[in-house]
Amino acid sequence: MAEYRNIIVTGGAGFIGSNFAHWVVKNTDAHVTVLDALTYAGNRANLEGIPADRLTFVHGDICDADLVESLLAGSGMGAADAGAAGAADAPVDAIVHYAAESHNDNSIADPAPFVRTNVQGTFTLLEAAREHDVRFHHISTDEVYGDLALDDPTRFTEETPYRPSSPYSSTKASSDLLVRAWCRTYGVRATISNCSNNYGPYQHIEKFIPRQITNILCGRRPKLYGDGLNVRDWIHTEDHSRAVWEVLTKGRIGETYLIGADGERNNLEVLQAILERMGKDPEDFDWVRDRPGHDRRYAIDAGKLRRELGWSPIHTDFAEGLEATIRWYEENRSWWQAVKQVTEAKYAAQGQ
Ligand code: NAD
Ligand code: TDX
């Protein structure tokens, strides 16, 4: 099992990256250096509670080759928070790459930032990892495999051909291919994980579950796309973090691992579970315009991860995980309230 002392977590101020940063600090001895541009989706507050001597925060762009190079060369901490300066004296020995433009609807409205961050940004990091021979783990998505029919008996595996549908998923697929090529051609010590839909605390309220919870909390009606029968395979973000750690420390170089927790549910079911838990009538929502190119169903077979690395999810009760997530948004109104108006105005302009 490989050991790491100082890990760069790109996108560590976003939803899944910040959950991973908290998990690493709580469960390992590694120091975390977060590199995050703090786009609309990043929030420095997501990292609150992590002791200053375990975290270095660098406010910067993964497309900034000079900055990335200086971080790996050990001279880039000038951009770090004053409070955390000097906390990380060990050289960076791994990059876990979460930073991305991550929302499908945004990619349909304006794909340009997706090509820049997801493709150019991954290229920039890979070049630096190659130069400094740093272990690289790439966070990707099940969406690279396209979608499945509702009655298809199969699920995605590591062998499923790539067939991305949206500007978002096509840029994630592109970044995966770059990682594979850099691994094979240049010997970059890389792995890839493709995970299903995450839920849990700190998820931006543009995404399905927190959008509906916060709609109800501020007296708006939830919004369901299309016929509501699209299926997503839900996993609690803490289970994703645990799986990424397994792949980082025990995964075979050059391999891809699919991460999923057998959590298939259609959107209508999930929305009605939220309405019910929040004391609302199950029909108290609006049907809205469907997403163009909307993927029908995602489903992950995580057999390889379970067999090879011994991982299994601990959040196996979706109702319980959803309940805790609802509570988190109820108790952390100040975290989301300021961006609710602008998020909903954007959706309203799209008829959603
Ligand atoms: P998010 O949008 O919540 O967070 C993305 C973070 O990246 C933000 O903090 C943002 O500031 C940062 N960022 C964006 N552009 C940057 C740049 N150019 N330089 C540096 N930082 C930048 O996203 P998320 O939902 O936490 O997703 C994280 C990763 O996990 C992504 O790679 C995504 O493709 C992948 N993923 C997400 C899911 C999901 O369900 N949300 C599922 C599977 C895989
Ligand atoms: O208001 C809504 N109503 C609705 O019906 C929203 C925001 C979404 N939906 C539907 C669309 C999808 O079928 O809910 C489902 C989930 O939507 P999103 O939260 O936008 O997630 P999805 O498009 O499935 O992508 C997510 O999982 C894979 C993440 O955003 C990606 O980053 C990840 O790669």
Side-chain angles (χ1 to χ4, degrees):
M1 177 163 144
E3 286 188 15
Y4 299 102
R5 293 185 60 207
N6 188 4
I7 301 170
I8 289 189
V9 177
T10 72
F15 163 45
I16 310 181
S18 64
N19 274 286
F20 180 72
H22 282 281
W23 189 91
V24 168
V25 167
K26 204 162 140 199
N27 294 285
T28 81
D29 293 328
H31 184 86
V32 172
T33 297
V34 165
L35 170 59
D36 198 295
L38 297 180
T39 66
Y40 81 95
N43 188 343
R44 183 69 180 82
N46 294 2
L47 297 164
E48 272 169 17
I50 298 183
D53 63 346
R54 300 292 307 281
L55 174 74
T56 302
F57 182 78
V58 179
H59 183 192
D61 192 327
I62 56 167
C63 299
D64 181 343
D66 290 342
L67 172 62
V68 172
E69 161 64 26
S70 66
L71 287 176
L72 295 200
S75 58
M77 298 303 165
D81 274 1
D89 46 9
V92 168
D93 46 18
I95 298 173
V96 183
H97 175 34
Y98 287 89
E101 287 291 338
S102 70
H103 193 39
N104 274 299
D105 293 317
N106 293 346
S107 81
I108 295 164
D110 179 13
F114 288 74
V115 175
R116 182 181 180 278
T117 287
N118 300 0
V119 184
Q120 181 75 27
T122 302
F123 163 75
T124 306
L125 294 167
L126 282 169
E127 282 291 83
R130 166 159 90 102
E131 172 73 23
H132 292 275
D133 187 26
V134 166
R135 172 82 169 86
F136 191 89
H137 180 67
H138 182 60
I139 304 296
S140 192
T141 171
D142 58 359
E143 297 194 17
V144 299
Y145 301 114
D147 61 354
L148 297 162
L150 294 181
D151 61 358
D152 190 327
T154 66
R155 299 189 290 173
F156 299 138
T157 72
E158 289 78 5
E159 313 309 322
T160 304
Y162 275 36
R163 198 172 58 88
S165 323
S166 73
Y168 162 67
S169 54
S170 63
T171 58
K172 290 299 289 186
S174 307
S175 66
D176 292 10
L177 299 185
L178 292 179
V179 176
R180 289 182 184 191
W182 262 242
C183 182
R184 174 162 170 174
T185 303
Y186 299 120
V188 171
R189 291 176 292 125
T191 42
I192 300 176
S193 54
N194 298 76
C195 189
S196 61
N197 282 60
N198 283 221
Y199 73 99
Y202 301 111
Q203 185 166 32
H204 195 281
I205 58 166
E206 68 190 352
K207 302 292 191 332
F208 179 58
I209 288 180
R211 183 182 185 206
Q212 314 312 339
I213 296 171
T214 56
N215 272 357
I216 295 168
L217 288 176
C218 56
R220 295 172 187 260
R221 284 162 69 86
K223 311 288 179 202
L224 196 58
Y225 295 176
D227 62 7
L229 299 182
N230 302 65
V231 169
R232 295 296 181 264
D233 189 352
W234 294 100
I235 182 172
H236 193 280
T237 192
E238 187 188 0
D239 283 326
H240 186 186
S241 294
R242 293 173 48 250
V244 167
W245 186 257
E246 293 299 302
V247 177
L248 180 69
T249 55
K250 299 197 288 196
R252 286 183 290 137
I253 297 302
E255 292 292 312
T256 290
Y257 295 87
L258 264 54
I259 305 174
D262 304 329
E264 281 189 70
R265 275 175 184 77
N266 74 38
N267 295 336
L268 179 60
E269 278 175 74
V270 173
L271 175 55
Q272 292 192 320
I274 294 170
L275 284 161
E276 190 192 318
R277 271 173 186 72
M278 297 183 75
K280 299 288 173 194
D281 186 297
E283 302 304 322
D284 203 3
F285 65 88
D286 295 330
W287 297 98
V288 294
R289 188 176 77 89
D290 204 359
R291 171 184 288 170
H294 196 177
D295 282 339
R296 197 58 167 157
R297 169 175 163 243
Y298 306 137
I300 289 262
D301 176 347
K304 177 177 173 182
L305 175 71
R306 287 175 181 262
R307 280 190 307 276
E308 269 190 31
L309 306 183
W311 173 90
S312 59
I314 53 177
H315 294 273
T316 49
D317 185 337
F318 182 71
E320 202 177 283
L322 195 58
E323 177 91 45
T325 304
I326 292 169
R327 232 175 10 251
W328 191 86
Y329 285 91
E330 280 169 348
E331 289 168 2
N332 291 278
R333 280 173 186 264
S334 61
W335 183 86
W336 56 266
Q337 231 154 10
V339 296
K340 186 65 184 169
Q341 192 78 27
V342 65
T343 306
E344 288 305 314
K346 210 152 95 179
Y347 275 123
Q350 292 167 184
Q352 294 175 318

